[in-house]
């Protein structure tokens, strides 16, 4: 008999895996947490990905940034989880990025829409950046002014 993990527990597990993939700069693992077609949304852009390979390429650009700026530790705080239906969940997450010494670099907020796939695994179908660009720019300005 196959055990089906409750949806709300799967939310925690998914974001634990996501944080681990971010720390390892593993764009492929990050991409497989999504279910194409999926949408990445911010104030500046709306991007739809229909293929894992294109999503992985997009994440490779992001992990290059993380490497360049010394991000080595990633922690997530799940602020809220709401069942919209039995198979769709909205989740708000605060991401905390730190350097190799665990000194804070910046934090940012995202909201996600997750949906259970045909194998009863939660996957991200929409990711909304609420303030990452602003938080990165703020951190970079602070970094420059301390040099």
């Amino acid at each position: 008999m196959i055990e089906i993990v409750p949806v709300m527990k799967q939310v925690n597990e998914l974001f634990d895996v996501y944080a681990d993939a971010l720390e390892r700069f593993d764009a492929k693992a990050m991409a497989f947490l999504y279910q194409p077609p999926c949408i990445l949304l911010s104030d500046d852009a709306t991007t739809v990905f229909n293929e894992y390979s294109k999503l992985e390429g997009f994440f490779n650009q992001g992990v290059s940034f993380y490497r360049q700026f010394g991000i080595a530790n990633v922690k997530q705080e799940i602020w809220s989880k709401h069942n919209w239906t039995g198979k769709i969940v909205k989740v708000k997450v605060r991401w905390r990025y730190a350097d190799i010494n665990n000194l804070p670099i910046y934090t940012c907020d995202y909201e996600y829409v997750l949906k259970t796939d045909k194998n009863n695994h939660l996957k991200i179908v929409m990711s909304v950046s609420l303030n990452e660009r602003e938080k990165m720019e703020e951190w970079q300005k602070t970094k420059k002014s301390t040099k």
Side-chain angles (χ1 to χ4, degrees):
M1 184 163 147
I2 298 172
E3 178 188 355
I4 297 176
V5 178
V7 170
M8 291 309 214
K9 184 176 180 195
Q10 281 190 51
V11 170
N12 296 344
E13 292 171 359
L14 183 141
F15 287 105
D16 287 344
V17 170
Y18 204 139
D20 181 63
L22 280 164
E23 281 186 351
R24 291 182 293 111
F25 308 114
D26 188 344
K28 183 181 283 296
M30 292 165 54
F32 279 111
L33 295 172
Y34 286 74
Q35 179 61 56
C38 58
I39 301 170
L40 277 60
L41 185 64
S42 69
D43 284 343
D44 301 325
T46 301
T47 310
V48 177
F49 291 95
N50 291 310
E51 300 172 26
Y52 284 111
S53 60
K54 293 192 185 322
L55 185 59
E56 181 183 349
F58 177 80
F59 286 142
N60 270 321
Q61 294 172 10
V63 297
S64 293
F65 169 85
Y66 292 152
R67 274 195 180 110
Q68 178 183 354
F69 290 102
I71 292 173
N73 294 293
V74 179
K75 301 290 180 245
Q76 77 286 0
E77 293 175 17
I78 296 175
W79 282 36
S80 64
K81 300 185 272 190
H82 299 286
N83 272 332
W84 280 355
T85 71
K87 295 184 177 213
I88 301 171
V89 181
K90 181 177 85 77
V91 182
K92 184 169 184 176
V93 177
R94 170 154 293 164
W95 291 100
R96 296 187 178 281
Y97 298 102
D99 66 15
I100 193 84
N101 299 312
N102 218 20
L103 295 171
I105 294 178
Y106 72 93
T107 63
C108 63
D109 303 307
Y110 272 77
E111 292 214 12
Y112 297 90
V113 176
L114 313 176
K115 184 177 178 188
T116 309
D117 69 8
K118 65 183 177 189
N119 298 313
N120 287 320
H121 296 112
L122 270 184
K123 299 286 187 165
I124 300 167
V125 294
M126 184 166 65
S127 169
V128 181
S129 172
L130 302 179
N131 57 9
E132 187 166 26
R133 182 180 53 82
E134 296 85 354
K135 296 291 188 172
M136 277 193 290
E137 289 172 355
E138 188 179 292
W139 168 70
Q140 287 176 322
K141 285 179 189 173
T142 304
K143 187 178 168 188
K144 287 178 185 176
S145 68
T146 58
K147 285 188 177 185

